[in-house]
Amino acid sequence: VSSMLLPRIASVCGAAVLAACAAVAPVHADLANGAAIFDAKCVACHIQGGNILAPGKTLQLDALERNGYASLDAQVELYRNGKGQMPKYQGDIPKVSRLTDEELQDVAAFVLKRANEKWL
């Protein structure tokens, strides 16, 4: 490798490492708050990570990966806007049903933690 290419290679590699670190950077979520919100708003349909309305769309890690919801951002977006039978928790809904961005992140972090633990 020529000495002229080394700075460019280092720059590209450095950017890739930073991007990878950002993707897995820990979120400062309140897992206890996420659990409380999950118990109040989600557990009726998603007891133990299941899904009583759509059995193929559980909160088990393999289903989250298969359906494109295995990341914090994807989960938050789903909770924010809803999809199909999944209700939304922001926007044009009664104020009592709304969750803040922080609360959405707390729930998402809780769900992903439990999914990685196989809901045991």
Side-chain angles (χ1 to χ4, degrees):
V1 178
S2 87
S3 61
M4 291 176 32
L5 286 177
L6 285 176
R8 176 140 170 83
I9 292 170
S11 174
V12 170
C13 290
V17 168
L18 285 175
C21 289
V24 296
V27 174
H28 299 289
D30 182 339
L31 294 174
N33 188 46
I37 294 168
F38 185 87
D39 286 347
K41 297 193 178 279
C42 312
V43 78
C45 293
H46 295 288
I47 191 162
Q48 289 298 305
N51 187 329
I52 64 169
L53 299 174
K57 296 181 179 178
T58 70
L59 301 180
Q60 302 297 328
L61 189 58
D62 63 334
L64 293 174
E65 290 170 346
R66 181 177 61 252
N67 294 315
Y69 295 108
S71 74
L72 187 76
D73 289 342
Q75 292 251 330
V76 168
E77 192 64 22
L78 176 64
Y79 305 158
R80 180 176 288 124
N81 298 310
K83 184 177 180 183
Q85 295 174 314
M86 174 75 185
K88 65 182 180 177
Y89 289 99
Q90 287 189 346
D92 188 23
I93 59 172
K95 189 173 184 174
V96 69
S97 298
R98 290 184 202 146
L99 296 174
T100 66
D101 286 342
E102 186 175 272
E103 291 170 325
L104 295 177
Q105 288 186 357
D106 292 347
V107 175
F110 170 77
V111 167
L112 291 172
K113 178 182 183 298
R114 293 300 312 274
N116 280 295
E117 298 169 345
K118 302 187 185 307
W119 290 88
L120 298 176

